[in-house]
């Protein structure tokens, strides 16, 4: 694996109290961004999901309504208890064969080569060890499997990237560990994924979470 130079600062994990507040404010905070395009983006991306699907860091479950009929099994992982409670509530309104699992993306409790589609929306910015998470995703995917993702990443504009570096600390503390300056596409490639992605703007959200990348990665 090719090492990627990190611009990230070490951090203390967010407190349990703040994570509970995050779970409560997540949907209202995202409302404008969802209405201004993210909801459509989720629907289009997830129409490509098939077979056995694993969603990492599912949060409050904003993706649930967009999964197509015909997926055989949906496993949603989420390490934060307050988020899992919201997931469970949202799931009561859906009828997929679904399992909610307390797990981080760095340690997926699934056998090798057992999954057709992994879904990561706005998660690889937040995991503590993204390289380990990507290796886990590669491990659980079948050889012809796919990672579908929507992630905000480090900006290519020098000015915006400098703002992201400057604001990384305060944003991370506010946003439950999210690193606004993480070069996720480069990490995917360094971990051996072939990536096909388009760039977009997350309207309705602060500029430091631009650009968004939306796409599909295969091993
Ligand atoms: C910005 S939210 C995105 C939630 C959801 N995927 C969405 O699209 O709205 C980031 C989520 O990643 C979760 N998370 C944090 N660390 C994680 C890790 N190591 N592995 C998996 N998920 C993690 C958080 O608890 C949170 O639910």
């Amino acid at each position: 694996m090719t090492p990627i130079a990190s611009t990230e600062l070490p951090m203390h994990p967010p407190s349990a109290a703040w994570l509970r507040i995050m779970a409560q404010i997540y949907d209202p905070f995202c409302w404008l961004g969802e209405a201004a395009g993210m909801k459509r983006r989720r629907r289009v991306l997830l129409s490509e999901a098939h077979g056995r699907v694993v969603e990492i860091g599912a949060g409050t479950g904003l993706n649930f309504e967009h999964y197509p009929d015909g997926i055989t099994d949906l496993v949603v992982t989420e390490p934060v208890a307050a988020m899992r409670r919201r997931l469970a509530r949202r799931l009561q309104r859906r009828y997929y064969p679904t399992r909610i699992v307390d797990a981080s993306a760095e340690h997926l409790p699934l056998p090798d080569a057992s999954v057709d589609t992994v879904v990561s929306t706005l998660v690889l910015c937040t995991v503590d060890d993204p390289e380990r998470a990507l290796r886990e995703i590669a491990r659980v995917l079948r050889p012809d499997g796919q990672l579908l993702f929507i992630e905000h990443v480090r900006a290519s504009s020098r000015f915006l990237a400098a703002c992201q570096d400057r604001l990384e600390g305060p944003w991370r503390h506010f946003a439950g560990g999210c690193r606004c300056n993480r070069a996720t596409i480069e990490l995917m490639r360094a971990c051996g994924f072939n990536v096909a992605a388009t760039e977009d703007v997350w309207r309705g959200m602060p500029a430091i979470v631009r650009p968004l990348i939306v796409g599909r990665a295969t091993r």
Side-chain angles (χ1 to χ4, degrees), residues 26 42 57-59 62 78-80 83 104-106 121-123 126-127:
Y26 187 75
R42 292 179 192 274
L62 289 175
E78 171 54 58
V80 173
M83 288 290 195
S104 73
E106 293 94 329
T121 58
L122 312 171
V123 178
T126 304
V127 301

Coordinates of all heavy atoms in Angstrom, one line a residue, residues 26 42 57-59 62 78-80 83 104-106 121-123 126-127, ligand 1:
Y26 N -28.5 15.8 14.3 CA -28.0 15.4 12.9 C -29.0 15.7 11.8 O -28.7 16.4 10.9 CB -27.5 13.9 12.9 CG -26.8 13.6 11.6 CD1 -25.5 14.0 11.4 CD2 -27.5 12.8 10.6 CE1 -24.9 13.7 10.2 CE2 -26.9 12.5 9.5 CZ -25.6 12.9 9.2 OH -24.9 12.7 8.1
R42 N -28.3 10.5 -2.8 CA -28.4 9.2 -2.2 C -29.3 8.2 -3.0 O -28.9 7.1 -3.2 CB -29.1 9.3 -0.8 CG -28.3 10.1 0.2 CD -29.1 10.2 1.5 NE -28.6 11.1 2.5 CZ -27.6 10.9 3.4 NH1 -27.1 9.7 3.5 NH2 -27.2 11.8 4.2
G57 N -21.3 3.0 9.2 CA -21.6 4.3 9.8 C -23.0 4.9 9.4 O -23.0 6.0 8.9
A58 N -24.0 4.1 9.6 CA -25.3 4.5 9.0 C -26.0 5.7 9.6 O -27.0 6.2 9.1 CB -26.2 3.3 9.0
G59 N -25.5 6.1 10.8 CA -26.0 7.4 11.4 C -27.4 7.2 11.8 O -27.8 6.2 12.5
L62 N -30.5 7.9 7.1 CA -31.0 8.7 6.0 C -31.0 7.9 4.7 O -31.7 8.4 3.7 CB -30.3 10.0 5.9 CG -30.5 11.0 7.0 CD1 -29.6 12.2 6.9 CD2 -32.0 11.4 7.1
E78 N -23.1 0.7 13.0 CA -23.0 2.0 13.5 C -22.4 1.9 15.0 O -23.0 1.2 15.8 CB -24.4 2.7 13.6 CG -24.5 4.0 14.3 CD -23.5 5.0 13.9 OE1 -23.5 5.4 12.7 OE2 -22.7 5.5 14.8
P79 N -21.3 2.5 15.2 CA -20.6 2.3 16.6 C -21.2 3.2 17.7 O -20.9 3.0 18.8 CB -19.2 2.7 16.3 CG -19.2 3.7 15.1 CD -20.4 3.3 14.3
V80 N -22.0 4.2 17.3 CA -22.5 5.2 18.4 C -23.9 4.7 18.8 O -24.8 4.7 18.0 CB -22.5 6.6 17.9 CG1 -23.1 7.6 18.9 CG2 -21.0 7.0 17.6
M83 N -26.9 6.9 17.9 CA -27.3 6.8 16.5 C -28.1 5.5 16.3 O -29.1 5.5 15.5 CB -26.1 6.9 15.6 CG -25.4 8.2 15.6 SD -26.3 9.4 14.6 CE -25.1 10.7 14.3
S104 N -17.4 -0.8 14.3 CA -16.8 0.3 13.6 C -16.4 -0.3 12.2 O -16.2 -1.5 12.0 CB -15.5 0.7 14.3 OG -14.5 -0.2 14.3
A105 N -16.1 0.6 11.3 CA -15.7 0.2 9.9 C -14.3 -0.4 9.9 O -14.0 -1.2 9.0 CB -15.7 1.4 9.0
E106 N -13.6 -0.2 11.0 CA -12.2 -0.8 11.1 C -12.3 -2.3 11.5 O -11.3 -3.0 11.3 CB -11.4 0.0 12.1 CG -11.0 1.4 11.7 CD -12.0 2.4 12.3 OE1 -13.2 2.1 12.4 OE2 -11.5 3.6 12.5
T121 N -21.6 6.6 3.2 CA -22.0 8.0 2.9 C -21.6 8.9 4.0 O -22.1 8.7 5.1 CB -23.5 8.1 2.5 OG1 -24.3 7.7 3.6 CG2 -23.9 7.3 1.3
L122 N -20.6 9.8 3.8 CA -20.2 10.7 4.8 C -19.6 10.1 6.0 O -19.8 10.5 7.1 CB -21.3 11.7 5.2 CG -22.1 12.2 4.0 CD1 -23.4 13.0 4.4 CD2 -21.3 13.2 3.1
V123 N -18.9 9.0 5.8 CA -18.3 8.2 6.9 C -16.8 8.1 6.9 O -16.2 8.3 8.0 CB -18.9 6.8 6.9 CG1 -18.3 5.9 8.1 CG2 -20.4 6.8 7.0
T126 N -14.9 10.4 9.0 CA -15.0 10.4 10.4 C -14.3 9.2 11.1 O -13.9 9.3 12.2 CB -16.5 10.3 10.8 OG1 -17.1 11.5 10.2 CG2 -16.7 10.4 12.3
V127 N -14.1 8.1 10.3 CA -13.5 6.9 11.0 C -12.1 7.3 11.5 O -11.4 8.1 10.8 CB -13.4 5.7 10.1 CG1 -14.8 5.3 9.6 CG2 -12.6 5.9 8.9
Ligands
LIG1 C1 -21.6 12.3 9.2 S1 -22.3 10.9 9.9 C2 -23.0 10.1 8.4 C3 -24.2 9.3 8.8 C4 -24.8 8.6 7.5 N1 -23.9 7.7 6.9 C5 -25.4 9.6 6.5 O1 -25.1 9.5 5.4 O2 -26.1 10.5 7.0 C6 -20.9 9.9 10.3 C7 -21.3 8.6 11.0 O3 -20.1 7.7 11.1 C8 -20.1 7.1 12.3 N2 -18.8 6.7 12.7 C9 -17.9 7.3 13.5 N3 -16.8 6.6 13.6 C10 -17.0 5.4 12.9 C11 -16.2 4.3 12.6 N4 -15.0 4.2 13.1 N5 -16.7 3.3 11.9 C12 -18.0 3.4 11.4 N6 -18.8 4.5 11.6 C13 -18.3 5.5 12.3 C14 -20.7 8.1 13.2 O4 -21.2 7.6 14.4 C15 -21.8 8.7 12.4 O5 -23.0 8.0 12.5

